[in-house]
């Protein structure tokens, strides 16, 4: 069984938002909304500063509160790769999932259902990377199977210092950031 | 730039209880695949068409996807040496240009006063007849040289050809006097050649990259950013000197918080350390250098201790970073920058940067500066242009002896004064002069002196607002443009071709140029029937296939040597034939043969030096109304040091206005209170604060740096406009 995830090299990311734009065109995300976003994490005082730049999105958690709290069975774990998805026509737009998500990864689509990153499962099923990964001019994002010990992801995770976001929430996020 | 998700959560929290009551609606619906929003890319409804991008001048190879006859998305063309299969965010967002609701749809002739943005829609024949009549009158009354052309980007090529055929060489782009000019002059004075565009910087193979105010990553020149990320990811060393803690600074091993306007002091101090500690490439300097001993004597006074007083950068940091760069020579690249018109001494600063590179031995070497190559595609065999006895109007008596391209502001000056001869017509293509040139009042004054003002554009831009005639062009995804015979690391040609039809009556530049030439009796200069025939002639003469180019988007030539050690002749086109550490040609014209540091005026108390730069999601002032890119960044912010902001009681998200030394007040602009900038300057992204009312998204959003740049320092070597010489105060009254 595959377990899809991402590894993102923050050393390379410049925060250009190409991932955000590509997601919007690939998935027809409506104006004013976006499924991925950039965070610039600044620490220190001028001129002794550190800044980590991250591209963030739904973490496709292994222990996803958005799925457990969904009263309609719309939020669910997809059989392929453990990707967290939403059945649009089952979703009532109640926003319970949005309140449950520690990453603020979801929003309500103007058509009335909860919406978020799908890891571009429609592309992945056809052997392609998610749109954000495939456009990134800095090649800072890696998508693949975390269960495969030989995957590029595991090679990176085994050789570089990394962390996931808000792990204290216990949701077991599947996106990892290399320092 | 941070996109906050918080607002969504807040909305959810407020309405949760209310909506939860109806939560079982849809609960019984059968499992569906509704999350598969898109059909497969290989489905019959999807067509892929290669072209090259026009959102900036980098000209990245792209593949556009059309689904069910509608433009869907654009990706990089993997065969293209510039994009390497990946576009930048602006390129990815390029489809927004096609969907912009405010686009120009038909030719327009001015109804009321210039600048009032009121026109009457006319036919193409009416518009072109009007222009041709006026151009003939200008020619007979003043001579053809009194018609000037302002152009930016490859789209202007055919119009340029038409203006030359008409008899004028007064053709200028803001890319020289308002941008890269000083850099190209500084390098030309040193190595005998320009940097060019795309830059001949071999960032990919550099082991150490030094950026002086250059903000790669925010400045999104695709290939450079790709190579920057790779070089950094591979463990390369980055050194950044910038008054602002840029994105690049966050990747740097050494960050030097240099005081604005003191870069020459810093670079000279670096050179002082490198020369006196014998850290330079001695063999290279001995072999290629001219006047090294005089240069060495000149820079003795620029010790790190001296430079500390000027730059605010500690002597240790200057020494450590100098020693660090020397470790990796010749693969140490001190980036020449691109937008280099800052203080009016910019050609000399660029020359200092060129000399530092010479000490590293990086010119002509891997990881430094390569020699660009191109394919041999003969120009179209046009008739010769008419001869003119008048020199170009922009630089009378060679006032700026080292200006090797035409000066936009020189043409503007001549248009205002009528000297050395009158300029009575402007044709403007692909450049919003209102935001590109400093001192808007001078631009308006010049325009008011014209008998004819024509703007070709895709959107009702600010400069279009001042036109007598506005000609609407299709966006790049709906038209052919000239072929790109690029000078880069490997030779290639690229095609820009229509992906979808223009939605209204827009006509491409090649068509406009040809039709206008015919009306001017210059039809013989456009012997081809359409641009496909033009392409076919040129490609056939080069032994290449039009059909292949159309299908692939790119045809590559054979790899050629690009470094000295690959066989590029190590010759320098300077007067001495060597790398000029000491420049006699500068000395002869009364300039410093070795760059000297001169103090800049400091901002008076209560004011801040206004600095500006780029955001990765916008190009100049031309993408702010693109709905996709607007969605990424709809307004700019004024970066204010946090301590300064606290003193003023300002926090991020508050709005202020900026007032400059001449009393010009900006639109209101959002404050970004940040640790990432010095206390003596403020910073904003260029291109916002549009006052063209018909651009409904961009209108009035953010503030315009250009509007506040009433003062500019002219570079005495080459006429460039140093624009970082304006001081602003923060005005709380909105």
């Amino acid at each position: 069984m595959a377990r899809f995830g991402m590894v993102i090299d923050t050393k390379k990311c410049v925060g250009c938002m190409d991932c955000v734009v590509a997601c919007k065109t690939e998935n027809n995300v409506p104006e004013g909304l976006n499924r991925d976003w950039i965070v610039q994490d600044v620490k220190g005082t001028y001129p002794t500063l550190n800044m980590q730049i991250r591209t963030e999105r739904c973490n496709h958690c292994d222990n996803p509160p958005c799925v457990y709290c969904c009263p309609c069975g719309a939020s669910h774990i997809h059989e392929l790769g453990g990707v967290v998805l939403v059945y649009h026509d089952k979703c009532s737009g109640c926003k319970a999932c949005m309140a449950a998500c520690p990453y603020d990864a979801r929003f309500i689509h103007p058509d009335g259902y909860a919406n978020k990153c799908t890891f571009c499962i429609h592309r992945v099923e056809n052997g392609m990377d998610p749109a954000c990964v495939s456009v990134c001019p800095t090649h800072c994002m890696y998508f693949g199977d975390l269960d495969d010990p030989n995957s590029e992801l595991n090679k990176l995770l085994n050789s570089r210092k990394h962390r996931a976001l808000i792990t204290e929430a216990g949701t077991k996020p599947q996106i990892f950031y290399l320092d | 730039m941070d996109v906050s998700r918080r607002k969504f959560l807040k909305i959810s929290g407020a309405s949760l209880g209310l909506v939860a009551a109806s939560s079982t609606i849809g609960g019984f619906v059968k499992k569906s695949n509704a999350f598969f929003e898109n059909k497969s890319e290989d489905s019959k409804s999807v067509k892929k068409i290669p072209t090259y991008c026009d959102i900036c001048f980098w000209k990245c190879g792209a593949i556009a996807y059309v689904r069910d006859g509608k433009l869907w998305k654009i990706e990089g063309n993997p065969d293209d040496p510039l994009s390497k299969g990946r576009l930048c965010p602006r390129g990815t967002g390029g489809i927004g240009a096609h969907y912009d609701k405010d686009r120009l749809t038909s030719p327009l002739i001015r109804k009321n006063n210039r600048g009032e943005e009121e026109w009457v829609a006319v036919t193409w024949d009416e518009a072109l007849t009007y222009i041709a009549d006026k151009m003939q009158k200008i020619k007979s009354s003043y001579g053809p040289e009194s018609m000037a052309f302002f152009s930016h980007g490859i789209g202007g090529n055919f119009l340029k050809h038409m203006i030359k055929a008409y008899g004028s060489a007064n053709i200028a782009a803001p890319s020289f006097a308002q941008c890269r000019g000083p850099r190209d002059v500084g390098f030309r004075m040193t190595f005998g050649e320009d940097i060019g565009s795309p830059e001949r910087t071999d960032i990919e193979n550099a082991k150490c990259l030094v950026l002086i105010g250059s903000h790669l990553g925010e400045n999104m020149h695709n290939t450079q950013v790709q190579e920057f990320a790779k070089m950094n990811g591979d463990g390369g060393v980055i050194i950044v000197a910038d008054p602002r803690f840029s994105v690049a600074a966050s990747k740097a091993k050494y960050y030097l918080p240099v005081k604005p306007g003191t870069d020459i002091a810093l670079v000279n101090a670096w050179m002082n350390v490198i020369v006196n500690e014998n850290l330079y490439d001695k063999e290279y300097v001995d072999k290629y250098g001219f006047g090294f001993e005089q240069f060495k004597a000149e820079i003795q006074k620029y010790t790190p201790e001296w430079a500390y007083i000027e730059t605010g950068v500690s002597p240790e940091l200057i020494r450590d970073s100098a020693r660090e760069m020397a470790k990796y020579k010749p693969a140490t690249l001190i980036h020449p920058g691109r937008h280099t018109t800052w203080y009016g001494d910019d050609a000399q600063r660029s020359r200092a940067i060129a000399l530092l590179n010479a000490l590293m031995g990086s010119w002509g070497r891997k990881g430094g500066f390569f020699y660009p190559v191109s394919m041999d595609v003969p120009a179209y065999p046009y008739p010769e242009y008419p001869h003119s006895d008048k020199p170009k109007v922009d630089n009378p008596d060679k006032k700026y002896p080292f200006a090797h391209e035409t000066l936009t502001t020189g043409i503007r000056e001549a248009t205002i004064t009528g000297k050395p001869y009158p300029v009575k017509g402007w044709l403007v293509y692909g450049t919003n002069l209102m935001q590109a040139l400093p001192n808007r009042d001078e631009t308006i004054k010049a325009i008011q002196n014209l008998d004819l003002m024509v703007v070709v554009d895709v959107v009702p831009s600010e400069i279009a607002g001042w036109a007598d005639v506005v000609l609407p062009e299709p966006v790049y995804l709906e038209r052919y443009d000239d072929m790109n015979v690029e000078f880069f690391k490997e030779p290639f040609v690229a095609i820009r071709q229509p992906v979808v039809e223009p939605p209204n009556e827009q006509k491409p530049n090649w068509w406009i140029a040809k039709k206008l030439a015919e009306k001017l009796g210059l039809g013989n200069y456009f012997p081809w029937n359409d641009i496909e025939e033009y392409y076919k002639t040129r490609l056939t003469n080069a032994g290449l296939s039009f059909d292949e180019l159309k299908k692939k988007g790119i045809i590559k030539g054979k790899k050629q040597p690009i470094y000295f050690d690959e066989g590029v002749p190590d010759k320098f086109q300077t007067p001495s034939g060597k790398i000029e550490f000491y420049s006699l040609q500068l000395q002869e014209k009364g300039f410093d043969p070795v760059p000297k540091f001169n103090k800049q005026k400091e901002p008076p108390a209560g004011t801040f030096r206004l600095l500006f730069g780029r955001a990765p999601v916008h190009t100049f002032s031309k993408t702010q109304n693109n709905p996709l890119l607007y969605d990424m960044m709809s307004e700019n912010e004024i970066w204010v040091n946090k301590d300064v902001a606290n003193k003023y009681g300002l926090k991020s998200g508050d709005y202020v206005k900026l007032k400059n030394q001449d009393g010009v007040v900006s639109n209101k602009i959002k404050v970004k209170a940040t640790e990432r900038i010095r206390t003596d300057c403020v910073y904003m992204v260029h291109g916002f604060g549009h006052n063209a009312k018909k651009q409904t998204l961009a209108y009035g959003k953010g503030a315009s740096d250009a509007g506040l740049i009433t003062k500019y320092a002219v570079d005495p070597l080459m006429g460039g406009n140093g624009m970082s010489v304006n001081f602003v105060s923060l005005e709380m009254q909105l």
Side-chain angles (χ1 to χ4, degrees), chain A residues 162-179:
Chain A
H162 61 267
R163 68 175 180 122
L165 301 177
I166 323 180
T167 48
E168 62 274 23
T171 62
K172 296 186 181 164
Q174 299 299 303
I175 296 182
F176 300 91
Y177 294 89
L178 304 175
D179 272 357

Side-chain angles (χ1 to χ4, degrees), chain B residues 125 128-129 132-133 135-136 161-162 165-166 510-530:
Chain B
D125 192 61
L128 295 177
T129 303
D133 287 350
M135 281 177 72
Q136 296 291 33
H161 169 59
M162 184 271 293
Y166 168 83
W510 64 266
W511 183 94
I512 297 169
K514 182 176 165 66
K515 293 291 162 194
L516 196 51
E518 284 166 3
K519 284 202 184 288
L520 290 163
L522 302 166
N524 59 322
Y525 282 92
F526 289 83
W528 36 266
N529 286 312
D530 59 30

